[in-house]
């Protein structure tokens, strides 16, 4: 088994997936761990409550969906695969150059026909099973994003502003950041009343309960949340302690 995981994704309270430092994905089920063999090395992943797994290739930054015991490539996040419609609904033609989508830094899967991804250009996109569509706060360069099956998507931009997506009218609004306006390394959302952030400086864990933020553990390196359970990776620990499990409701 791996000595440490670089990133993790939770299916339910007993089943989760992790990518080790070599880029191999492991399925962890009721305490047992087994590698998912693949010629592709991966950098990040996400899994939904049905066990549908999506991962981003380490070398190409492209998305792959786990299907029938193998990996099926999804349309790459490129300009030709992004829907271009009228400027309403936060969609518009992508200018050439730095704003071209490029690869994917992070991804959240709701279903094979609904995914949210953070492009290497700092822009959020949604996937409808065939094409990508821009769905990002205007004028913001996003550094971390997370979406869940409970109609929630939150993000943090390069100015440490915290954004919440409003699904009713497809707009974004700013939420008060934690006290001190910490520089965020990662955000993870379960729903709009359960959001978690890790501070880039001392890796403090901040928790949003729908009313405000509170802080707890420090020196965490990664976090995932779903279905009433949260797992965080603590670097530098032994195999038995590399995962901290917080049963947060």
């Amino acid at each position: 088994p791996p000595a440490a995981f670089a990133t993790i994704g939770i299916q339910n309270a007993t089943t989760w997936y992790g990518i080790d430092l070599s880029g191999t994905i492991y399925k962890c089920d009721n305490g047992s761990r087994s590698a998912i063999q693949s010629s592709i090395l991966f950098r990040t992943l996400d899994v939904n409550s049905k066990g549908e797994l999506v991962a981003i290739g380490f070398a190409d930054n492209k998305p792959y969906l786990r299907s029938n015991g193998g990996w099926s490539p999804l349309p790459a996040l490129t300009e030709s695969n992004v829907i271009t419609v009228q400027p309403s609904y936060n969609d518009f033609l992508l200018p050439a150059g730095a704003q071209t989508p490029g690869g994917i830094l992070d991804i959240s899967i709701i279903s094979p026909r609904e995914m949210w991804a953070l492009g290497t250009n700092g822009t959020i996109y949604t996937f409808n099973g065939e094409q990508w569509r821009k769905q990002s706060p205007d004028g913001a360069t996003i550094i971390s994003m997370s979406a869940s099956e409970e109609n929630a998507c939150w993000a943090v931009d390069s100015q440490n502003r915290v954004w919440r997506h409003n699904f009713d009218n497809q707009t974004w609004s700013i939420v008060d950041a934690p006290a001190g306006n910490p520089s965020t390394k990662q955000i993870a959302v379960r729903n709009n009343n359960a959001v978690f952030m890790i501070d880039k400086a001392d890796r403090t864990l901040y928790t949003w309960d729908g009313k405000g933020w509170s802080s707890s553990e420090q020196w965490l390196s990664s976090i995932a949340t779903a279905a009433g359970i949260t797992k965080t990776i603590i670097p530098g620990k032994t195999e038995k302690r590399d995962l901290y499990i917080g049963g947060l409701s």
Side-chain angles (χ1 to χ4, degrees), residues 79-138:
E79 191 166 356
S80 62
N81 287 330
V82 174
I83 297 174
T84 54
V85 296
Q86 296 300 316
S88 59
Y89 304 107
N90 205 25
D91 292 299
F92 50 85
L93 289 170
L94 294 168
Q99 295 303 309
T100 300
I104 296 176
L105 291 176
D106 204 357
I107 194 165
S108 295
I109 180 171
I110 312 304
S111 76
R113 301 191 66 84
E114 183 181 357
M115 302 184 199
W116 293 70
L118 174 58
T120 54
N121 61 341
T123 300
I124 296 173
Y125 299 89
T126 56
F127 181 66
N128 64 3
E130 297 179 358
Q131 288 181 297
W132 294 94
R133 166 183 171 179
K134 181 178 178 181
Q135 183 59 274
S136 200
D138 290 335

Side-chain angles (χ1 to χ4, degrees), residues 1-248:
F5 289 104
T7 187
I8 50 180
I10 300 174
Q11 178 181 343
N12 53 48
T14 60
T15 305
W16 53 277
Y17 295 79
I19 299 179
D20 71 2
L21 301 181
S22 72
T24 299
I25 294 179
Y26 284 79
K27 180 180 181 180
C28 306
D29 194 4
N30 284 314
S32 64
R33 301 181 183 182
S34 58
I36 298 178
Q37 301 299 327
S38 173
S39 60
I40 307 170
L41 298 180
F42 296 100
R43 183 172 44 77
T44 190
L45 59 76
D46 192 40
V47 61
N48 64 15
S49 60
K50 295 181 180 180
E52 294 164 330
L53 181 66
V54 64
I56 305 302
F58 185 86
D60 57 14
N61 285 334
K62 294 180 180 179
Y64 295 84
L65 182 68
R66 184 72 175 168
S67 176
N68 298 320
W71 292 97
S72 300
L74 297 174
L77 185 55
T78 60
E79 191 166 356
S80 62
N81 287 330
V82 174
I83 297 174
T84 54
V85 296
Q86 296 300 316
S88 59
Y89 304 107
N90 205 25
D91 292 299
F92 50 85
L93 289 170
L94 294 168
Q99 295 303 309
T100 300
I104 296 176
L105 291 176
D106 204 357
I107 194 165
S108 295
I109 180 171
I110 312 304
S111 76
R113 301 191 66 84
E114 183 181 357
M115 302 184 199
W116 293 70
L118 174 58
T120 54
N121 61 341
T123 300
I124 296 173
Y125 299 89
T126 56
F127 181 66
N128 64 3
E130 297 179 358
Q131 288 181 297
W132 294 94
R133 166 183 171 179
K134 181 178 178 181
Q135 183 59 274
S136 200
D138 290 335
T141 300
I142 304 301
I143 60 173
S144 183
M145 176 278 310
S146 176
S148 80
E149 297 173 65
E150 298 185 47
N151 285 336
C153 182
W154 287 52
V156 179
D157 68 17
S158 57
Q159 299 180 45
N160 297 323
R161 294 178 297 184
V162 180
W163 295 85
R164 177 176 58 203
H165 182 67
N166 305 305
F167 282 77
D168 291 341
N169 56 15
Q170 299 299 307
T171 61
W172 292 85
S173 57
I174 293 179
V175 179
D176 290 339
N181 196 30
S183 179
T184 301
K185 175 180 183 291
Q186 183 187 6
I187 191 168
V189 58
R190 184 185 310 153
N191 55 53
N192 286 324
N193 295 318
V195 183
F196 308 89
M197 289 196 330
I198 296 178
D199 179 12
K200 185 183 297 184
D202 60 10
R203 309 296 174 88
T204 296
L205 175 64
Y206 291 92
T207 302
W208 170 266
D209 62 3
K211 300 178 180 179
W213 296 94
S214 59
S215 60
S216 53
E217 293 84 15
Q218 290 184 322
W219 304 116
L220 307 177
S221 65
S222 187
I223 186 171
T225 182
I229 188 168
T230 300
K231 292 179 181 287
T232 56
I233 296 178
I234 303 176
K237 300 296 184 180
T238 63
E239 170 62 19
K240 294 182 179 180
R241 297 186 61 193
D242 65 339
L243 289 173
Y244 177 88
I245 302 175
L248 304 178

